[in-house]
Amino acid sequence: CAASEVDLLPCEDPRRSSRLSREMNYYRERHCPARGEALACLVPPPRGYRVPVPWPESLHKIWHDNMPYGKIAERKGHQGWMKHEGSYFIFPGGGTMFPDGAEQYIEKLSQYVPLKTGVVRTGLDMGCGVASFGGFLLKENIMTLSFAPRDSHKSQIQFALERGIPAFLLMLGTRRLPFPAQSFDFVHCSRCLIPFTAYNGSYLIEADRLLRPGGYLIISGPPVRWKNQEKEWDELQAMAGALCYKLITVDGNTAIWKKPAEASCLPNQNGFGLDLCSTNDDPDEAWYFKLNKCVGKVSMSEEIAIGSVPRWPDRLSKPSARASVINNGASLFEVDSQKWVRRVAYYKKSLGVKLGSTHIRNVMDMNAFFGGFAAAIVSDPVWVMNVVPAQKPLTLGVIYDRGLIGVYHDWCEPFSTYPRTYDLIHADAIDSISDISGTSRCDLFDVMLEMDRILRPEGTAVIRASPDVVDKAAQIARSIRWKAQVHDSEPESGSTEKILVATKT
């Protein structure tokens, strides 16, 4: 591609979005080019690009030349977000609502939320800045998925991913966020500027959909006890009350609520007209699904509530009640878990995949099913974005019940991340997430070109499929300048599969 496309984001392109409606921030959501309109070229790195600083050092500093954008450092330096020093950007760990540092802020929250006991494991950080909050929670064994839209500061999420923190490009606008219902143990907004009670409370209803029963809603900054926002603050408290949330504390400008563990108390008398959705609404459906102005009816709420789900790390190896989305799900879960332990051992010992080393930090599993691959590498210094393809069974809730994170996505479209953000991309049964014949949806070339965009230089791609599909993938790999080798699969997998291990040059 041209050097000007160094940060190509096909579905978040301001040139396209500027022509779209601004109502409910529609123009800042995903809008992808039509098939055939997307650029078919390799995205170049910026001048002076080098292999990223390894984790955990990257939490505190990254190479300036890997994303030479100083706007955030200039505008937010006094709030402790980041500053430019020599050939690095330095991250002191501050944020707008916690200029003294994320650690001190986390300490304050842990007086009210059990952040250090294994009870709370998964979090969603809305409008996260450079994701210092999520980054510093990692040492408490809490996996926070941080998101922000593409915005005037250009690269918040790019900085977060370069630091090795789980992050995703996303806007809360007219659609559900691409996560299953009742997936996060807490939802956090620190000056995220989301008007939760606007549009008939659509955004608070969406936060409620995503929050696990018994989970925590944490809002710091406006409108909590905020000057000139008394009306919004009153509405927020009243609406949380209508959902039967219990207000745990208001500490300065931070408010914390706990969601009830049992099924929704609606329909109660409330001034917001809040009501339950009809029974044919599936709260787990979230790929290009319009926001509802009703509260989803939730099944299994008591089995997957905080306190019912085992503590971390025990929850990793236990199939949750939601495994029943698949016929015979609990036993499939066990088989899948054991299969990936064997496969990962083979990747490391026989295929030379550098899992467990400082070379690999940000990992994506493109076809995650129950998250078995991510569970098998949980003791390595990595985090995994588990992707459940939108046309497959909705198993992502099971992945969250395990204490892992992920998103829904359709691989016939570009993924919502910047170029050069993952060290390892793993694609099991790649033919099942694209159309190998190339006649209908998208072909293998489109999918692998997108893998190249989001893979870091010197990053690794591991592709599993039948021998003829892997041969085709190997040809494409060489055409996009990857160094590629085809291997036999593990002995117990038989000769039905081959494995392509490729390095982006």
mmCIF file of all heavy atoms in Angstrom, residues 206-228:
data_model
loop_
_atom_site.group_PDB
_atom_site.id
_atom_site.type_symbol
_atom_site.label_atom_id
_atom_site.label_comp_id
_atom_site.label_asym_id
_atom_site.label_seq_id
_atom_site.Cartn_x
_atom_site.Cartn_y
_atom_site.Cartn_z
ATOM 1 N N GLU A 206 -27.654 -1.468 27.544
ATOM 2 C CA GLU A 206 -26.599 -2.281 26.924
ATOM 3 C C GLU A 206 -25.543 -2.679 27.952
ATOM 4 O O GLU A 206 -25.089 -3.826 27.972
ATOM 5 C CB GLU A 206 -25.966 -1.511 25.758
ATOM 6 C CG GLU A 206 -24.803 -2.205 25.075
ATOM 7 C CD GLU A 206 -25.128 -3.545 24.414
ATOM 8 O OE1 GLU A 206 -26.275 -4.036 24.494
ATOM 9 O OE2 GLU A 206 -24.203 -4.132 23.822
ATOM 10 N N ALA A 207 -25.171 -1.759 28.838
ATOM 11 C CA ALA A 207 -24.227 -2.121 29.912
ATOM 12 C C ALA A 207 -24.829 -3.232 30.774
ATOM 13 O O ALA A 207 -24.135 -4.177 31.171
ATOM 14 C CB ALA A 207 -23.890 -0.894 30.754
ATOM 15 N N ASP A 208 -26.128 -3.143 31.045
ATOM 16 C CA ASP A 208 -26.815 -4.166 31.832
ATOM 17 C C ASP A 208 -26.796 -5.517 31.102
ATOM 18 O O ASP A 208 -26.601 -6.568 31.725
ATOM 19 C CB ASP A 208 -28.257 -3.726 32.094
ATOM 20 C CG ASP A 208 -29.080 -4.813 32.779
ATOM 21 O OD1 ASP A 208 -28.845 -5.074 33.971
ATOM 22 O OD2 ASP A 208 -29.943 -5.426 32.115
ATOM 23 N N ARG A 209 -27.009 -5.498 29.777
ATOM 24 C CA ARG A 209 -26.973 -6.760 29.003
ATOM 25 C C ARG A 209 -25.625 -7.454 29.159
ATOM 26 O O ARG A 209 -25.538 -8.677 29.274
ATOM 27 C CB ARG A 209 -27.234 -6.476 27.514
ATOM 28 C CG ARG A 209 -27.247 -7.718 26.631
ATOM 29 C CD ARG A 209 -27.420 -7.393 25.156
ATOM 30 N NE ARG A 209 -26.218 -6.881 24.536
ATOM 31 C CZ ARG A 209 -25.237 -7.627 24.014
ATOM 32 N NH1 ARG A 209 -25.314 -8.955 24.051
ATOM 33 N NH2 ARG A 209 -24.177 -7.069 23.462
ATOM 34 N N LEU A 210 -24.562 -6.662 29.192
ATOM 35 C CA LEU A 210 -23.206 -7.231 29.200
ATOM 36 C C LEU A 210 -22.739 -7.658 30.584
ATOM 37 O O LEU A 210 -21.785 -8.423 30.714
ATOM 38 C CB LEU A 210 -22.207 -6.198 28.646
ATOM 39 C CG LEU A 210 -22.445 -5.797 27.188
ATOM 40 C CD1 LEU A 210 -21.491 -4.676 26.791
ATOM 41 C CD2 LEU A 210 -22.272 -6.989 26.258
ATOM 42 N N LEU A 211 -23.386 -7.146 31.613
ATOM 43 C CA LEU A 211 -22.909 -7.367 32.984
ATOM 44 C C LEU A 211 -23.472 -8.674 33.534
ATOM 45 O O LEU A 211 -24.678 -8.932 33.466
ATOM 46 C CB LEU A 211 -23.354 -6.183 33.846
ATOM 47 C CG LEU A 211 -22.688 -5.973 35.191
ATOM 48 C CD1 LEU A 211 -21.174 -5.880 35.066
ATOM 49 C CD2 LEU A 211 -23.222 -4.688 35.833
ATOM 50 N N ARG A 212 -22.585 -9.479 34.078
ATOM 51 C CA ARG A 212 -22.985 -10.746 34.700
ATOM 52 C C ARG A 212 -23.857 -10.476 35.928
ATOM 53 O O ARG A 212 -23.629 -9.494 36.641
ATOM 54 C CB ARG A 212 -21.690 -11.463 35.128
ATOM 55 C CG ARG A 212 -21.860 -12.877 35.624
ATOM 56 C CD ARG A 212 -20.499 -13.471 36.015
ATOM 57 N NE ARG A 212 -19.635 -13.635 34.864
ATOM 58 C CZ ARG A 212 -19.725 -14.623 33.969
ATOM 59 N NH1 ARG A 212 -20.665 -15.542 34.102
ATOM 60 N NH2 ARG A 212 -18.900 -14.701 32.957
ATOM 61 N N PRO A 213 -24.872 -11.313 36.198
ATOM 62 C CA PRO A 213 -25.641 -11.143 37.440
ATOM 63 C C PRO A 213 -24.701 -11.096 38.652
ATOM 64 O O PRO A 213 -23.747 -11.881 38.734
ATOM 65 C CB PRO A 213 -26.523 -12.397 37.481
ATOM 66 C CG PRO A 213 -26.646 -12.816 36.047
ATOM 67 C CD PRO A 213 -25.339 -12.465 35.407
ATOM 68 N N GLY A 214 -24.954 -10.158 39.541
ATOM 69 C CA GLY A 214 -24.063 -9.984 40.687
ATOM 70 C C GLY A 214 -22.823 -9.172 40.363
ATOM 71 O O GLY A 214 -21.955 -8.972 41.217
ATOM 72 N N GLY A 215 -22.726 -8.689 39.116
ATOM 73 C CA GLY A 215 -21.544 -7.927 38.688
ATOM 74 C C GLY A 215 -21.601 -6.471 39.116
ATOM 75 O O GLY A 215 -22.607 -5.995 39.662
ATOM 76 N N TYR A 216 -20.530 -5.748 38.842
ATOM 77 C CA TYR A 216 -20.355 -4.382 39.341
ATOM 78 C C TYR A 216 -20.317 -3.378 38.192
ATOM 79 O O TYR A 216 -19.617 -3.588 37.200
ATOM 80 C CB TYR A 216 -19.052 -4.278 40.142
ATOM 81 C CG TYR A 216 -19.056 -5.157 41.368
ATOM 82 C CD1 TYR A 216 -18.661 -6.505 41.282
ATOM 83 C CD2 TYR A 216 -19.499 -4.680 42.597
ATOM 84 C CE1 TYR A 216 -18.694 -7.331 42.397
ATOM 85 C CE2 TYR A 216 -19.531 -5.504 43.714
ATOM 86 C CZ TYR A 216 -19.130 -6.827 43.612
ATOM 87 O OH TYR A 216 -19.170 -7.646 44.713
ATOM 88 N N LEU A 217 -21.067 -2.293 38.343
ATOM 89 C CA LEU A 217 -21.025 -1.172 37.404
ATOM 90 C C LEU A 217 -20.290 -0.029 38.096
ATOM 91 O O LEU A 217 -20.707 0.415 39.172
ATOM 92 C CB LEU A 217 -22.454 -0.747 37.027
ATOM 93 C CG LEU A 217 -22.578 0.490 36.135
ATOM 94 C CD1 LEU A 217 -21.989 0.248 34.756
ATOM 95 C CD2 LEU A 217 -24.044 0.929 36.017
ATOM 96 N N ILE A 218 -19.189 0.421 37.492
ATOM 97 C CA ILE A 218 -18.330 1.443 38.109
ATOM 98 C C ILE A 218 -18.266 2.639 37.157
ATOM 99 O O ILE A 218 -17.813 2.497 36.013
ATOM 100 C CB ILE A 218 -16.896 0.904 38.333
ATOM 101 C CG1 ILE A 218 -16.930 -0.399 39.142
ATOM 102 C CG2 ILE A 218 -16.020 1.950 39.017
ATOM 103 C CD1 ILE A 218 -15.636 -1.215 39.057
ATOM 104 N N ILE A 219 -18.734 3.788 37.611
ATOM 105 C CA ILE A 219 -18.678 5.002 36.782
ATOM 106 C C ILE A 219 -17.936 6.084 37.554
ATOM 107 O O ILE A 219 -18.332 6.451 38.664
ATOM 108 C CB ILE A 219 -20.093 5.475 36.384
ATOM 109 C CG1 ILE A 219 -20.798 4.373 35.569
ATOM 110 C CG2 ILE A 219 -20.026 6.776 35.577
ATOM 111 C CD1 ILE A 219 -22.210 4.718 35.114
ATOM 112 N N SER A 220 -16.843 6.564 36.957
ATOM 113 C CA SER A 220 -16.051 7.649 37.553
ATOM 114 C C SER A 220 -16.120 8.864 36.649
ATOM 115 O O SER A 220 -15.924 8.747 35.445
ATOM 116 C CB SER A 220 -14.574 7.241 37.673
ATOM 117 O OG SER A 220 -14.385 6.373 38.751
ATOM 118 N N GLY A 221 -16.358 10.017 37.239
ATOM 119 C CA GLY A 221 -16.427 11.229 36.424
ATOM 120 C C GLY A 221 -17.860 11.580 36.106
ATOM 121 O O GLY A 221 -18.799 11.038 36.700
ATOM 122 N N PRO A 222 -18.059 12.491 35.135
ATOM 123 C CA PRO A 222 -19.422 12.934 34.855
ATOM 124 C C PRO A 222 -20.327 11.755 34.532
ATOM 125 O O PRO A 222 -19.860 10.810 33.915
ATOM 126 C CB PRO A 222 -19.265 13.842 33.613
ATOM 127 C CG PRO A 222 -17.822 13.898 33.281
ATOM 128 C CD PRO A 222 -17.072 13.021 34.215
ATOM 129 N N PRO A 223 -21.582 11.761 34.976
ATOM 130 C CA PRO A 223 -22.246 12.848 35.709
ATOM 131 C C PRO A 223 -22.186 12.682 37.228
ATOM 132 O O PRO A 223 -22.908 13.371 37.944
ATOM 133 C CB PRO A 223 -23.684 12.712 35.224
ATOM 134 C CG PRO A 223 -23.879 11.223 35.116
ATOM 135 C CD PRO A 223 -22.542 10.673 34.655
ATOM 136 N N VAL A 224 -21.335 11.789 37.749
ATOM 137 C CA VAL A 224 -21.371 11.457 39.185
ATOM 138 C C VAL A 224 -20.955 12.678 40.019
ATOM 139 O O VAL A 224 -19.804 13.108 39.959
ATOM 140 C CB VAL A 224 -20.448 10.255 39.493
ATOM 141 C CG1 VAL A 224 -20.469 9.941 40.986
ATOM 142 C CG2 VAL A 224 -20.861 9.036 38.680
ATOM 143 N N ARG A 225 -21.930 13.246 40.736
ATOM 144 C CA ARG A 225 -21.692 14.442 41.565
ATOM 145 C C ARG A 225 -20.930 15.507 40.778
ATOM 146 O O ARG A 225 -19.956 16.078 41.280
ATOM 147 C CB ARG A 225 -20.905 14.074 42.823
ATOM 148 C CG ARG A 225 -21.730 13.348 43.863
ATOM 149 C CD ARG A 225 -20.935 13.196 45.137
ATOM 150 N NE ARG A 225 -21.709 12.557 46.178
ATOM 151 C CZ ARG A 225 -21.160 11.965 47.236
ATOM 152 N NH1 ARG A 225 -19.848 11.916 47.359
ATOM 153 N NH2 ARG A 225 -21.918 11.417 48.160
ATOM 154 N N TRP A 226 -21.338 15.729 39.555
ATOM 155 C CA TRP A 226 -20.594 16.629 38.658
ATOM 156 C C TRP A 226 -21.345 17.950 38.511
ATOM 157 O O TRP A 226 -22.557 17.959 38.290
ATOM 158 C CB TRP A 226 -20.436 15.973 37.285
ATOM 159 C CG TRP A 226 -19.217 16.425 36.554
ATOM 160 C CD1 TRP A 226 -19.150 17.386 35.582
ATOM 161 C CD2 TRP A 226 -17.888 15.950 36.725
ATOM 162 N NE1 TRP A 226 -17.856 17.528 35.147
ATOM 163 C CE2 TRP A 226 -17.051 16.663 35.828
ATOM 164 C CE3 TRP A 226 -17.303 14.984 37.559
ATOM 165 C CZ2 TRP A 226 -15.680 16.447 35.731
ATOM 166 C CZ3 TRP A 226 -15.939 14.765 37.468
ATOM 167 C CH2 TRP A 226 -15.143 15.486 36.566
ATOM 168 N N LYS A 227 -20.612 19.029 38.628
ATOM 169 C CA LYS A 227 -21.222 20.348 38.534
ATOM 170 C C LYS A 227 -21.927 20.497 37.183
ATOM 171 O O LYS A 227 -21.392 20.105 36.154
ATOM 172 C CB LYS A 227 -20.121 21.405 38.666
ATOM 173 C CG LYS A 227 -20.635 22.753 39.072
ATOM 174 C CD LYS A 227 -19.502 23.733 39.272
ATOM 175 C CE LYS A 227 -20.104 25.126 39.444
ATOM 176 N NZ LYS A 227 -19.119 26.167 39.299
ATOM 177 N N ASN A 228 -23.114 21.090 37.215
ATOM 178 C CA ASN A 228 -23.935 21.330 36.009
ATOM 179 C C ASN A 228 -24.471 20.043 35.372
ATOM 180 O O ASN A 228 -24.993 20.084 34.268
ATOM 181 C CB ASN A 228 -23.174 22.148 34.941
ATOM 182 C CG ASN A 228 -22.734 23.492 35.485
ATOM 183 O OD1 ASN A 228 -23.405 24.045 36.359
ATOM 184 N ND2 ASN A 228 -21.628 24.009 34.987
#
